[in-house]
Amino acid sequence: MGDLEIRPTTAADIPAVVAMLADDPLGAQRESPDDLAPYLAALERLSSDPNQHVVVAVRDERVVGTLQLTIVPGLSRRGATRSIIEGVRIHAGERGSGLGTQLIEWAVDESRRQGCHLVQLTSDNTRTDAHRFYERLGFSASHTGFKLQL
């Protein structure tokens, strides 16, 4: 396998990113690869916000992974800044290759570089393989999360 590059997502990457977001049972229900307009608009909003880092992993000129890292300044924990990792996806042909570890390590390193004291993420209750993966990387299931659909 060729060298891996982790770089900011561009509009040209959106079809591949959306395809990865839709390539699992949960994503298949909520993503729309046939209409890229909302994703392109979202990327434009995210790209203009310095606290948002939407990246792709590229190998051999092919998008093979993605994630979003959000930097959140806060008051709690003595004014600590934290980061949130979202939307982690690995191309089906790359799963088990170590790419997911590289992407998460990139996010943790970038969080440190941004002065974060804590990295957090959520994972759907049904993603038990993902839970084991995150625990192997040192994350702990220390909280219960709640969501409200609007």
Side-chain angles (χ1 to χ4, degrees), residues 18-33 89 127:
V18 174
M20 285 186 293
L21 292 172
D23 185 29
D24 71 30
L26 295 174
Q29 297 173 14
R30 58 185 180 212
E31 304 302 341
S32 301
R89 295 294 189 285
R127 297 185 190 274

Side-chain angles (χ1 to χ4, degrees), residues 34-90:
D34 295 334
D35 180 12
L36 299 179
Y39 301 96
L40 292 166
L43 180 63
E44 190 172 318
R45 282 192 317 273
L46 291 162
S47 297
S48 68
D49 183 338
N51 288 321
Q52 302 294 332
H53 306 276
V54 182
V55 299
V56 290
V58 179
R59 188 188 316 277
D60 297 328
E61 299 181 27
R62 201 170 63 100
V63 174
V64 292
T66 188
L67 67 71
Q68 177 177 340
L69 180 68
T70 300
I71 308 301
V72 182
L75 289 174
S76 66
R77 295 179 180 247
R78 303 183 62 172
T81 298
R82 67 183 65 208
S83 66
I84 302 170
I85 299 172
E86 285 285 328
V88 179
R89 295 294 189 285
I90 305 299

Side-chain angles (χ1 to χ4, degrees), residues 83-138:
S83 66
I84 302 170
I85 299 172
E86 285 285 328
V88 179
R89 295 294 189 285
I90 305 299
H91 187 279
E94 292 274 340
R95 292 180 191 143
S97 71
L99 173 58
T101 297
Q102 288 178 281
L103 264 176
I104 296 298
E105 287 174 348
W106 175 88
V108 170
D109 289 346
E110 181 63 19
S111 297
R112 280 191 186 102
R113 195 183 75 71
Q114 297 268 341
C116 296
H117 295 248
L118 177 72
V119 179
Q120 62 189 47
L121 55 83
T122 61
S123 179
D124 191 274
N125 287 332
T126 63
R127 297 185 190 274
T128 55
D129 289 343
H131 302 168
R132 284 190 297 274
F133 167 73
Y134 293 127
E135 287 170 351
R136 270 196 325 269
L137 294 176

